[in-house]
Amino acid sequence: MCGIIGYIGNKQALPIILEGLKRMEYRGYDSAGVALFNQEKLEVIKKQGKFINLQNELKSRSITSSSGLGHIRWATHGEPSDLNAHPHTDCQNKIAVVHNGIIENYQELKRWLASQGHQFKTKTDSEVIAHLIEERNKTVPLEEAVRGALNHVKGAYGLAVISEKEPDKIVAARLGSPVVLGIISQGEYLIASDVAAILPFTREVIFLEESEMAIITKQGYKINKLNGAVSCHQPQQIEWDLDEAEKGGYDHFMLKEIMEEPETIKASLRGRVVLEEGGVKLGGLIDVLEQLKKIERIYIVACGTAHYAGRIGSYLIENLTGIPTEVEYASEFRYREKPLDKKSVVLAISQSGETADTLAAIRLANQQDLLTLGIVNAVGSSIARETKAGVYNHIGPEIAVASTKAFVSQLVVVTLIAILLGRQRNMPKAKAQEIIKELLKLPDKIEDVLNQKEKIEEIAKVYESANDFIFIGRKLSYPVALEGALKMKEISYVHAEGYPAGELKHGPLALIDQTWPVVAVIPQDSVYDKTFSNLEEAKARQGQIIAIATANDEEIKRIADRIVYVPKTLEILYPILTVVPLQLLAYYLAKIKGRDIDQPRNLAKSVTVE
Ligand code: M6R
């Protein structure tokens, strides 16, 4: 997730663009940049790091321009650096592009453009857009050139383009990433990824729909479909205040990030699955594919929520590949006294890529010359750099301390890795196709769970005064139970324990009485009957049962006091659905209790101490 902005009108563009970028800082902090016309020449200024670095850089510059673009970056392709920062330009530095999204076929396009003589300056996917437009713009005007260029692009984009040849015009387009047009007055407009950037200047906006382009000049604007057909939009008034706007209208980043989960799944799958072949393409693993064919053991190292994703990942990898897989808390991994087997891989899972214990585990494995891999969200982070290969989540920054969308994405990515390893061994194509088909359906299925958020809020109200919760599940649902308990502790400060359902009778059952809600993760999977029996045991001690069950499970009604249904899916994919009600339950309980949800006490988003 990056942020784009463009301004055209009768005022100085730079202060307006900078104010808008500041409002979108939460969308990325790897770099920021602007493109403006300085005495009719296109000038691009960009800086690695937080927005403040760009602001400092611009202090000594005087640029008078009444139109321009800005960008705030969350890196996906190419490490965070001045060079890889946006805006990107064509060979002649006459066209500037800001882009939010991923161009899936950029390697192919880059090869073709290079064969036509184009010279690339960066390692980003986005730069190809500037060159594609340049190529077209040789024969047709900017609007047509952008339209023609986008015809060749596969992937997702919210983008804006300016050109020295037509300085009084901004062309913007969207497919899969948001673009909003702000109408300040007749002849003065803003476009941005997010209303947060627009609200300081106007409340009158138009949200571009998928496959639409906006052509904005000082004379007015028009919105077309990418195929040229005219679109009709009525401007609407935004009622949110600025703080709400950054959170997409939600009260907290945590809820916003949970609600982004359908998009999270799409982003983590984008360009990575080939259904017809039952194949998975993970660019970050290409260099180690031969080595991966020979590995005999996997150690997953991670902390907190990422560790629970790793536990689920170990089931998946063993189940789909037969490779023995162990999961360790990264903070404990270093105390192993035996040397690790050379045919092992150490796989780190980390949203931030900076967790000190996980990094230390990777360093230990590197010292022993093992193959190290990462599943990381933050591009260019320490873990991403120090592992030998890896896969990015590509889900934009996660701001709330409580990790939610990252967990869902980690499960998706680990499933992709399991399919890749499985296909290298003896997983039949049909089996891989079955999983891929179902992965592609998950965004809609998560949507179905999210639509039940009011019901989950009601459940939270019922148990508002409970002092203790126990979360139980078996097999793949056990780590989900652990994650549900962690979420509850961390943001509502209520004691919660996660337990394997089968272990209840070996001790914790003694705790259960009518004051203890028992949250059971009980989808219709291979251990359903056994988990059901464990629930009977809790029910017999007057435990209050909240069940996360599969749609149409009538039997569960016999025993559960409250039920949240999730759609049916494959057994190995249930955690991606069953965790969502638990995230929402923790969220609403914390909200009722008036907790500081996005920044819970004593915690930090990135734990860089051991
Ligand atoms: O950035 P990482 O994924 O490495 O972070 C690991 C844990 O610190 C993190 O998941 C933590 O447990 C979250 N606050 C849980 O919501």
Side-chain angles (χ1 to χ4, degrees), residues 277-298:
E277 294 168 16
V280 164
K281 289 192 299 184
L282 296 170
L285 297 185
I286 282 180
D287 292 345
V288 295
L289 284 178
E290 286 310 308
Q291 266 175 286
L292 289 176
K293 283 185 185 160
K294 297 182 201 123
I295 57 170
E296 291 180 0
R297 180 171 295 276
I298 298 177

Side-chain angles (χ1 to χ4, degrees), residues 518-522 535 545-549 556 560-565:
V518 178
V519 184
V521 185
I522 180 169
L535 272 188
I545 313 290
I546 304 167
I548 313 302
I556 197 76
D561 298 278
R562 323 270 151 191
I563 306 168
V564 181
Y565 284 119

